[in-house]
Amino acid sequence: MHVQEWLETVPAVAVYALVGLVIGLESLGIPLPGEIILVSSALLASQHGEIDPVVLGASATAGAIIGDSIGYAIGRKGGRPLLAWLGNKFPKHFSEGHIATAERSFEKWGMWTVFFGRFVALLRIFAGPLAGVLRMPYWKFLIANVLGGIVWAGGTTAVIYYVGIVAESWLKRFSWLGLVAAVLVGLTSMLVIKRKAKKAQKDQQAQAQPLAAAE
């Protein structure tokens, strides 16, 4: 069933809870389609008065901030063994190459990685736990986490909602295009990260070979 069609069958309160929960779990480190759920809900809010866009944006923002904070706490407590465990459970998302790419981003950009990571599919999953593993000072993480959550979740809700209001008649017939666009953005960012991850993995293997030969 179409995501938006399914959302139309549940009460507004359930939509708010679902958006907050899915985005929170994604931010915590579980691979879920948080962006697709948010875009679908914002489109639905623009077409049905039962869903309040302000409450929807607040639910998404709260889920993003709380999820990232829990992910940070888990990462700080679990450390490197946690990343190894995640790599075994979710090899496509937490491969050594992906982790190496994310670590380089943290080393280069610091707290800005947490902020801008909100806008990149894979980094949304990595940011909280990896910031904890790398022991980023919590006050820096919190600032980037709160600002990133507000700008991404609140901004996405507002933009999609107002686009839906302006082009309501068009979106009623072609609303799936909004979802396709969101999926394409997510896939593009994932492919870019994946390519960088593969390159990082090759670089690590190339550096490891001379050391192995020396031993």
Side-chain angles (χ1 to χ4, degrees):
M1 184 183 290
H2 194 291
V3 174
Q4 192 171 346
E5 291 176 350
W6 180 80
L7 289 172
E8 290 177 352
T9 65
V10 301
V13 174
V15 174
Y16 304 144
L18 178 66
V19 168
L21 179 63
V22 171
I23 290 177
L25 291 175
E26 182 188 37
S27 301
L28 189 152
I30 300 175
L32 290 173
E35 191 169 45
I36 292 177
I37 292 293
L38 180 57
V39 169
S40 300
S41 301
L43 282 174
L44 187 62
S46 70
Q47 299 165 16
H48 297 275
E50 294 85 358
I51 298 177
D52 188 330
V54 176
V55 178
L56 179 65
S59 300
T61 301
I65 294 171
I66 294 171
D68 242 15
S69 297
I70 295 174
Y72 175 91
I74 293 173
R76 193 173 180 88
K77 185 175 181 179
R80 294 284 175 178
L82 173 65
L83 296 181
W85 181 82
L86 289 172
N88 291 330
K89 292 292 183 180
F90 307 103
K92 291 184 178 179
H93 296 87
F94 289 92
S95 66
E96 291 183 5
H98 287 166
I99 293 173
T101 300
E103 284 184 334
R104 284 204 304 273
S105 298
F106 270 89
E107 291 172 0
K108 186 174 182 180
W109 303 108
M111 62 188 292
W112 289 109
T113 303
V114 178
F115 178 85
F116 288 111
R118 282 285 173 203
F119 302 88
V120 181
L122 283 177
L123 281 181
R124 270 201 303 277
I125 302 171
F126 276 114
L130 193 53
V133 170
L134 298 178
R135 297 191 173 274
M136 174 184 287
Y138 183 69
W139 68 269
K140 288 186 176 182
F141 170 80
L142 183 62
I143 291 173
N145 178 27
V146 171
L147 292 178
I150 292 172
V151 173
W152 176 74
T156 299
T157 302
V159 169
I160 297 300
Y161 175 78
Y162 284 112
V163 167
I165 292 295
V166 171
E168 183 176 1
S169 60
W170 185 83
L171 285 172
K172 280 183 178 177
R173 294 190 301 174
F174 301 103
S175 60
W176 58 272
L177 289 177
L179 290 177
V180 170
V183 171
L184 288 176
V185 170
L187 287 175
T188 301
S189 61
M190 185 169 25
L191 288 174
V192 171
I193 294 293
K194 190 173 183 180
R195 183 184 300 176
K196 290 183 178 180
K198 286 183 177 179
K199 183 178 179 182
Q201 198 168 15
K202 288 181 180 178
D203 292 342
Q204 286 182 338
Q205 291 175 351
Q207 292 175 0
Q209 286 177 354
L211 295 175
E215 292 176 358

